[in-house]
Amino acid sequence: MDRFLVKGAVRGLMGKREKEQTGAGPAGLAEEEGNSRKKPRRVALENGVDEEGLSWRHIRAEGLDCDYTVLFGKAEADEIFQALEKEVDYFTGTQVWISEALPCFPCTGALARVQVFGKWHNVPRKQATYGDAGLTYTFSGLTLSPKPWVPVLERVRDRVSLVTGQTFNFVLVNRYKDGRDHIGEHRDDERELAPGSPIASVSFGASRDFFFRHKDSRGKHPSRRMGVVRLQLAHGSLLMMNHPTNTHWYHSLPVRKKILAPRVNLTFRRVLPTTK
């Protein structure tokens, strides 16, 4: 299968933009843009380096629009990771799923076990949700209210808003204890999300592979042959998944058994207020 590969993390003020593409065909649509669209606020269009000293990598393909940077230096990222380990209260409840078509539905932020075709399975990660007062998140008849913000989550949220100009009122926290913990292919396209709003994914801890697969290239008999886009999400990194990425592309964090260290991922979202 043709692939567009983005390797490694951005380093330094002028970290090189890297891409590796093998084969031909639809995968060739993927590219890193320099100045053809509006970038996150503060990003200098001429060289991809913003006034905060961040170097942005722009990942593009048909219907895929993402921006990537290392947002926190190692010392600060280490500090935040330790604070997350102390402050985040993960959910320990259960919820029933009746379809294998939803093996890793990520937006409840509150699952410890799931039922697939009558059998119970542990969710291969820990989850929690935090956000503004009055918000709710509903799926499969279950309505969830996020916990109030804690300082470390507010700190990360505010930094993301500063460099992107986007605001967020909800965050899903996923903790992966090692490389065996994972999340399957899914799209973050739930109806509670504000239409057209981006999702900001911030990672701390072990660096992990992250895959995008176009919806038409999934399954044993895909209707199209499109390249998988693979990133490596580094400690302290930010991945902005802009519209319409979650309409057309599934993403996943696959098993990597050789990774022994934990990772915590924060996906900041803009959730519509509950209507009465």
Side-chain angles (χ1 to χ4, degrees):
M1 177 179 291
D2 297 334
R3 293 193 177 190
F4 167 65
L5 174 62
V6 178
K7 302 190 296 183
V10 179
R11 298 179 183 276
L13 297 181
M14 295 295 294
K16 294 182 179 180
R17 298 178 184 179
E18 298 178 282
K19 67 178 178 179
E20 177 182 325
Q21 179 184 323
T22 60
L29 294 171
E31 63 178 344
E32 296 179 53
E33 297 182 340
N35 57 11
S36 63
R37 69 179 296 277
K38 184 179 179 181
K39 303 300 187 299
R41 191 182 67 169
R42 294 179 169 278
V43 176
L45 300 182
E46 64 272 14
N47 60 17
V49 178
D50 72 9
E51 44 190 81
E52 295 292 326
L54 300 177
S55 183
W56 291 88
R57 175 174 292 147
H58 311 296
I59 303 114
R60 306 288 184 264
E62 180 183 322
L64 177 70
D65 183 339
C66 295
D67 297 293
Y68 175 86
T69 190
V70 175
L71 183 60
F72 299 94
K74 184 179 184 305
E76 188 176 11
D78 288 346
E79 178 187 341
I80 291 172
F81 180 79
Q82 293 303 320
L84 289 168
E85 294 287 76
K86 293 178 181 178
E87 295 184 31
V88 174
D89 182 21
Y90 293 98
F91 190 81
T92 57
T94 61
Q95 168 64 21
V96 174
W97 285 341
I98 59 175
S99 171
E100 198 169 20
L102 301 175
C104 292
F105 198 84
C107 297
T108 68
L111 301 178
R113 300 181 71 216
V114 296
Q115 190 179 44
V116 181
F117 296 147
K119 294 183 179 180
W120 285 99
H121 302 269
N122 292 327
V123 171
R125 62 196 173 277
K126 289 184 177 180
Q127 297 181 303
T129 54
Y130 288 81
D132 291 357
L135 296 178
T136 60
Y137 221 78
T138 302
F139 83 103
S140 298
L142 177 67
T143 299
L144 301 170
S145 297
K147 299 181 180 72
W149 293 100
V150 293
V152 65
L153 295 176
E154 291 179 315
R155 175 181 178 179
V156 178
R157 179 202 63 195
D158 292 348
R159 182 74 64 85
V160 173
S161 293
L162 176 67
V163 301
T164 66
Q166 300 288 341
T167 58
F168 303 93
N169 59 7
F170 181 92
V171 65
L172 168 65
V173 185
N174 279 294
R175 185 185 188 276
Y176 305 84
K177 68 179 183 301
D178 55 31
R180 293 178 182 273
D181 278 7
H182 61 281
I183 189 167
E185 289 187 343
H186 64 278
R187 290 182 293 178
D188 298 328
D189 60 352
E190 291 67 45
R191 64 182 182 180
E192 287 86 359
L193 299 176
S197 62
I199 292 178
S201 174
V202 188
S203 300
F204 297 97
S207 180
R208 292 285 296 268
D209 288 335
F210 188 78
F211 287 4
F212 283 103
R213 189 187 305 274
H214 194 276
K215 63 181 181 180
D216 294 339
S217 65
R218 302 175 71 236
K220 295 182 179 180
H221 304 288
S223 60
R224 301 174 66 188
R225 296 286 182 178
M226 299 187 69
V228 172
V229 177
R230 187 179 73 191
L231 312 175
Q232 191 172 81
L233 303 183
H235 182 40
S237 66
L238 164 65
L239 175 69
M240 290 294 294
M241 291 185 282
N242 305 308
H243 182 75
T245 297
N246 276 293
T247 300
H248 303 288
W249 292 76
Y250 285 73
H251 54 272
S252 63
L253 190 86
V255 171
R256 291 292 181 261
K257 293 181 180 179
K258 292 183 179 180
I259 294 179
L260 304 179
R263 171 181 182 261
V264 176
N265 176 252
L266 315 176
T267 47
F268 293 92
R269 305 148 191 258
R270 194 178 308 148
V271 174
L272 295 172
T274 304
T275 57
K276 297 182 179 179

